[in-house]
Amino acid sequence: MLLELLNVNTFYGASHVLQGINIKVAKGEVVGLLGRNGMGKSTTLKTIMGLVKPHSGSIKFQGREIAGSPPFKIARQGIGYVPEERRIFPELTVLDNLELGIRGGKIKDPGNIGTWTLERIFDHFPKLKERKNLKGRFLSGGEQQMLAIGRSLMGNPSLLLIDEPTEGLAPLLKDEVRDILKAINEAGVTIVLVEHNLRIALSLVTRVYLMGKSHIGYEGSTEELRNNEEIRAMYLEA
Ligand SMILES: Nc1ncnc2c1ncn2[C@@H]1O[C@H](COP(=O)(O)OP(=O)(O)OP(=O)(O)O)[C@@H](O)[C@H]1O
Ligand SMILES: [Mg+2]
């Protein structure tokens, strides 16, 4: 397993927001973490990333325990994170934003075909190439999302955690972001995706975890979820 959460518990103060979370992600997968508002999806990603410390439980990445490690160490081991709020630097150019994503300030092994370089990122995001000298604040919402994803790739992650990448985007842009994520996965990056848009999620993921309040309520293949109206009604649809 690339990533394994075992009985993870997280609190915000006295509020027990993750109660015994178990998730397994194999190399190469796109795993969906879906559920209604406030169930704990973002908190799960933040807990994996070390931004919120788990109270108990185990989080293993490539077989190593990472629960309790600080975020920069977790990032260094090869986990990239694109938060809901994107957090690009508005006063820096696209190029500078991307260069800030490089782990340790230097691209390791730039000659390796699998290494993410600016050139490779621009191949995936031609719009960013056109706007490379523009400040982040002049980008559209969709372009900012692409920049946030591109920046996380500059760290050469083997696992990418992405929180609602298509939120607030026009339908065509949602599809564009979906296609980019698919290409990134095909290029070898494993993905854990939090996504509200079921159509987008089902077209990307191989397996899903559905969250009820603070727990995982259902786990299955994309095909199983597609055919199970009852489960969708219980965990997803209004
Ligand atoms: N920093 C915080 N301090 C206290 N409570 C928080 C904090 N962040 C989130 N919560 C609460 O924890 C619970 C889980 O929140 P979380 O953001 O993980 O949900 P989510 O599934 O990502 O929801 P959404 O779909 O709206 O993004 C919610 O009840 C939320 O109000
Ligand atoms: Mg969230």
Side-chain angles (χ1 to χ4, degrees):
M1 280 298 142
L2 184 66
L3 177 75
E4 198 162 0
L5 277 70
L6 199 68
N7 200 18
V8 169
N9 289 279
T10 297
F11 290 75
Y12 289 122
S15 164
H16 193 176
V17 290
L18 297 185
Q19 303 182 5
I21 300 292
N22 294 301
I23 292 175
K24 284 183 182 178
V25 180
K27 196 168 179 295
E29 281 193 292
V30 183
V31 169
L33 183 59
L34 315 181
R36 296 196 175 98
N37 290 328
M39 298 293 112
K41 305 179 299 295
S42 297
T43 303
T44 302
L45 298 191
K46 286 175 188 164
T47 302
I48 297 168
M49 205 57 212
L51 295 162
V52 177
K53 281 219 183 329
H55 174 264
S56 62
S58 158
I59 305 175
K60 283 201 172 123
F61 179 61
Q62 293 175 323
R64 272 198 231 161
E65 188 61 49
I66 58 167
S69 290
F72 78 93
K73 281 199 178 155
I74 293 173
R76 242 187 232 162
Q77 293 200 31
I79 305 186
Y81 171 57
V82 185
E84 232 170 326
E85 57 277 16
R86 290 166 201 165
R87 285 204 218 123
I88 61 146
F89 294 97
E91 293 305 321
L92 296 182
T93 64
V94 166
L95 213 50
D96 288 344
N97 265 284
L98 287 172
E99 282 174 348
L100 276 173
I102 300 170
R103 246 196 281 173
K106 212 170 106 198
I107 295 183
K108 271 189 216 143
D109 203 5
N112 185 326
I113 189 101
T115 299
W116 290 95
T117 56
L118 277 174
E119 212 172 307
R120 246 186 107 207
I121 285 173
F122 286 147
D123 285 346
H124 282 270
F125 302 95
K127 279 186 187 162
L128 292 184
K129 188 174 186 178
E130 284 167 29
R131 288 161 173 62
K132 66 181 176 192
N133 294 316
L134 224 58
K135 283 185 178 173
R137 68 187 161 99
F138 295 120
L139 301 184
S140 70
E143 289 161 356
Q144 289 191 12
Q145 184 58 261
M146 289 173 196
L147 180 55
I149 296 169
R151 185 179 57 191
S152 70
L153 290 173
M154 288 297 281
N156 269 304
S158 32
L159 173 68
L160 201 51
L161 313 174
I162 311 187
D163 204 344
E164 303 203 23
T166 72
E167 197 196 3
L169 304 184
L172 274 177
L173 271 172
K174 284 187 202 284
D175 286 348
E176 201 175 317
V177 168
R178 187 260 323 269
D179 293 346
I180 286 169
L181 293 179
K182 196 166 210 128
I184 289 168
N185 174 248
E186 281 162 6
V189 180
T190 305
I191 295 176
V192 175
L193 174 74
V194 171
E195 176 60 63
H196 268 288
N197 184 309
L198 187 62
R199 181 184 64 84
I200 296 275
L202 289 180
S203 68
L204 254 178
V205 307
T206 44
R207 265 182 335 110
V208 289
Y209 289 90
L210 302 187
M211 284 194 84
K213 187 82 194 151
S214 307
H215 71 284
I216 301 288
Y218 176 86
E219 177 190 344
S221 70
T222 308
E223 209 42 46
E224 283 164 342
L225 180 62
R226 218 180 248 130
N227 297 325
N228 197 331
E229 210 173 308
E230 200 180 323
I231 286 290
R232 286 204 313 273
M234 193 181 302
Y235 292 103
L236 299 174
E237 284 145 16

mmCIF file of all heavy atoms in Angstrom, residues 30 33 81 84-86 98 130-131 153 161 181 191 220:
data_model
loop_
_atom_site.group_PDB
_atom_site.id
_atom_site.type_symbol
_atom_site.label_atom_id
_atom_site.label_comp_id
_atom_site.label_asym_id
_atom_site.label_seq_id
_atom_site.Cartn_x
_atom_site.Cartn_y
_atom_site.Cartn_z
ATOM 1 N N VAL A 30 -6.719 6.344 -8.381
ATOM 2 C CA VAL A 30 -7.361 7.619 -8.056
ATOM 3 C C VAL A 30 -8.504 7.249 -7.121
ATOM 4 O O VAL A 30 -9.466 6.587 -7.523
ATOM 5 C CB VAL A 30 -7.939 8.343 -9.292
ATOM 6 C CG1 VAL A 30 -8.516 9.700 -8.870
ATOM 7 C CG2 VAL A 30 -6.880 8.535 -10.361
ATOM 8 N N LEU A 33 -12.835 10.599 -2.146
ATOM 9 C CA LEU A 33 -13.346 10.736 -0.788
ATOM 10 C C LEU A 33 -14.525 11.698 -0.898
ATOM 11 O O LEU A 33 -14.343 12.895 -1.112
ATOM 12 C CB LEU A 33 -12.240 11.292 0.118
ATOM 13 C CG LEU A 33 -12.551 11.444 1.597
ATOM 14 C CD1 LEU A 33 -12.941 10.103 2.220
ATOM 15 C CD2 LEU A 33 -11.351 12.036 2.333
ATOM 16 N N TYR A 81 -0.182 18.482 -1.776
ATOM 17 C CA TYR A 81 -1.502 18.834 -1.260
ATOM 18 C C TYR A 81 -1.996 20.102 -1.948
ATOM 19 O O TYR A 81 -1.284 21.108 -1.980
ATOM 20 C CB TYR A 81 -1.384 19.050 0.258
ATOM 21 C CG TYR A 81 -2.589 19.633 0.948
ATOM 22 C CD1 TYR A 81 -3.844 19.018 0.864
ATOM 23 C CD2 TYR A 81 -2.477 20.795 1.727
ATOM 24 C CE1 TYR A 81 -4.939 19.551 1.530
ATOM 25 C CE2 TYR A 81 -3.566 21.320 2.399
ATOM 26 C CZ TYR A 81 -4.799 20.708 2.292
ATOM 27 O OH TYR A 81 -5.875 21.238 2.952
ATOM 28 N N GLU A 84 -8.472 23.369 -0.612
ATOM 29 C CA GLU A 84 -9.702 23.916 -1.174
ATOM 30 C C GLU A 84 -9.507 25.374 -1.603
ATOM 31 O O GLU A 84 -10.002 25.790 -2.635
ATOM 32 C CB GLU A 84 -10.754 23.869 -0.058
ATOM 33 C CG GLU A 84 -12.043 23.199 -0.430
ATOM 34 C CD GLU A 84 -12.932 22.977 0.798
ATOM 35 O OE1 GLU A 84 -12.423 22.723 1.912
ATOM 36 O OE2 GLU A 84 -14.149 23.076 0.626
ATOM 37 N N GLU A 85 -8.777 26.116 -0.780
ATOM 38 C CA GLU A 85 -8.683 27.561 -1.041
ATOM 39 C C GLU A 85 -7.507 27.935 -1.953
ATOM 40 O O GLU A 85 -7.172 29.092 -2.118
ATOM 41 C CB GLU A 85 -8.646 28.340 0.283
ATOM 42 C CG GLU A 85 -7.535 27.974 1.233
ATOM 43 C CD GLU A 85 -7.848 26.742 2.089
ATOM 44 O OE1 GLU A 85 -8.788 25.969 1.766
ATOM 45 O OE2 GLU A 85 -7.143 26.544 3.089
ATOM 46 N N ARG A 86 -6.890 26.906 -2.550
ATOM 47 C CA ARG A 86 -5.855 27.064 -3.594
ATOM 48 C C ARG A 86 -4.560 27.728 -3.145
ATOM 49 O O ARG A 86 -3.485 27.301 -3.502
ATOM 50 C CB ARG A 86 -6.410 27.795 -4.827
ATOM 51 C CG ARG A 86 -7.393 26.911 -5.551
ATOM 52 C CD ARG A 86 -8.236 27.620 -6.549
ATOM 53 N NE ARG A 86 -9.446 26.850 -6.840
ATOM 54 C CZ ARG A 86 -10.510 27.296 -7.445
ATOM 55 N NH1 ARG A 86 -10.535 28.535 -7.883
ATOM 56 N NH2 ARG A 86 -11.550 26.526 -7.636
ATOM 57 N N LEU A 98 5.291 28.654 -9.456
ATOM 58 C CA LEU A 98 5.662 27.262 -9.753
ATOM 59 C C LEU A 98 7.000 26.910 -9.109
ATOM 60 O O LEU A 98 7.156 25.840 -8.529
ATOM 61 C CB LEU A 98 5.731 27.043 -11.263
ATOM 62 C CG LEU A 98 4.379 26.995 -11.976
ATOM 63 C CD1 LEU A 98 4.580 26.980 -13.495
ATOM 64 C CD2 LEU A 98 3.565 25.777 -11.541
ATOM 65 N N GLU A 130 1.306 30.337 -21.433
ATOM 66 C CA GLU A 130 0.971 31.632 -22.040
ATOM 67 C C GLU A 130 1.031 32.765 -21.019
ATOM 68 O O GLU A 130 1.338 33.893 -21.353
ATOM 69 C CB GLU A 130 -0.467 31.617 -22.584
ATOM 70 C CG GLU A 130 -0.646 30.876 -23.880
ATOM 71 C CD GLU A 130 -2.129 30.636 -24.164
ATOM 72 O OE1 GLU A 130 -2.981 31.443 -23.717
ATOM 73 O OE2 GLU A 130 -2.434 29.611 -24.803
ATOM 74 N N ARG A 131 0.700 32.445 -19.771
ATOM 75 C CA ARG A 131 0.598 33.485 -18.743
ATOM 76 C C ARG A 131 1.751 33.452 -17.750
ATOM 77 O O ARG A 131 1.637 33.987 -16.656
ATOM 78 C CB ARG A 131 -0.725 33.308 -17.981
ATOM 79 C CG ARG A 131 -1.927 33.706 -18.809
ATOM 80 C CD ARG A 131 -3.185 33.105 -18.253
ATOM 81 N NE ARG A 131 -4.392 33.575 -18.912
ATOM 82 C CZ ARG A 131 -4.692 33.397 -20.196
ATOM 83 N NH1 ARG A 131 -3.845 32.807 -21.006
ATOM 84 N NH2 ARG A 131 -5.839 33.836 -20.687
ATOM 85 N N LEU A 153 2.891 19.758 -8.247
ATOM 86 C CA LEU A 153 3.650 18.778 -9.036
ATOM 87 C C LEU A 153 5.144 19.083 -9.057
ATOM 88 O O LEU A 153 5.977 18.175 -9.204
ATOM 89 C CB LEU A 153 3.132 18.723 -10.474
ATOM 90 C CG LEU A 153 1.752 18.108 -10.645
ATOM 91 C CD1 LEU A 153 1.284 18.265 -12.086
ATOM 92 C CD2 LEU A 153 1.743 16.640 -10.243
ATOM 93 N N LEU A 161 -2.914 14.909 -2.852
ATOM 94 C CA LEU A 161 -4.198 15.055 -2.171
ATOM 95 C C LEU A 161 -4.848 16.320 -2.720
ATOM 96 O O LEU A 161 -4.263 17.403 -2.622
ATOM 97 C CB LEU A 161 -3.995 15.209 -0.657
ATOM 98 C CG LEU A 161 -3.041 14.227 0.027
ATOM 99 C CD1 LEU A 161 -2.846 14.629 1.497
ATOM 100 C CD2 LEU A 161 -3.587 12.804 -0.069
ATOM 101 N N LEU A 181 -6.196 16.061 -14.456
ATOM 102 C CA LEU A 181 -5.939 15.126 -13.349
ATOM 103 C C LEU A 181 -5.765 13.707 -13.877
ATOM 104 O O LEU A 181 -4.927 12.944 -13.395
ATOM 105 C CB LEU A 181 -7.062 15.189 -12.315
ATOM 106 C CG LEU A 181 -7.163 16.513 -11.540
ATOM 107 C CD1 LEU A 181 -8.329 16.475 -10.566
ATOM 108 C CD2 LEU A 181 -5.860 16.812 -10.803
ATOM 109 N N ILE A 191 -3.599 9.592 -6.748
ATOM 110 C CA ILE A 191 -4.402 10.755 -6.334
ATOM 111 C C ILE A 191 -5.477 10.365 -5.326
ATOM 112 O O ILE A 191 -6.151 9.340 -5.477
ATOM 113 C CB ILE A 191 -5.072 11.406 -7.579
ATOM 114 C CG1 ILE A 191 -4.004 11.982 -8.523
ATOM 115 C CG2 ILE A 191 -6.069 12.499 -7.173
ATOM 116 C CD1 ILE A 191 -4.552 12.558 -9.834
ATOM 117 N N GLY A 220 -16.299 1.253 -1.820
ATOM 118 C CA GLY A 220 -16.597 0.372 -2.943
ATOM 119 C C GLY A 220 -15.963 0.846 -4.232
ATOM 120 O O GLY A 220 -15.300 1.883 -4.267
#
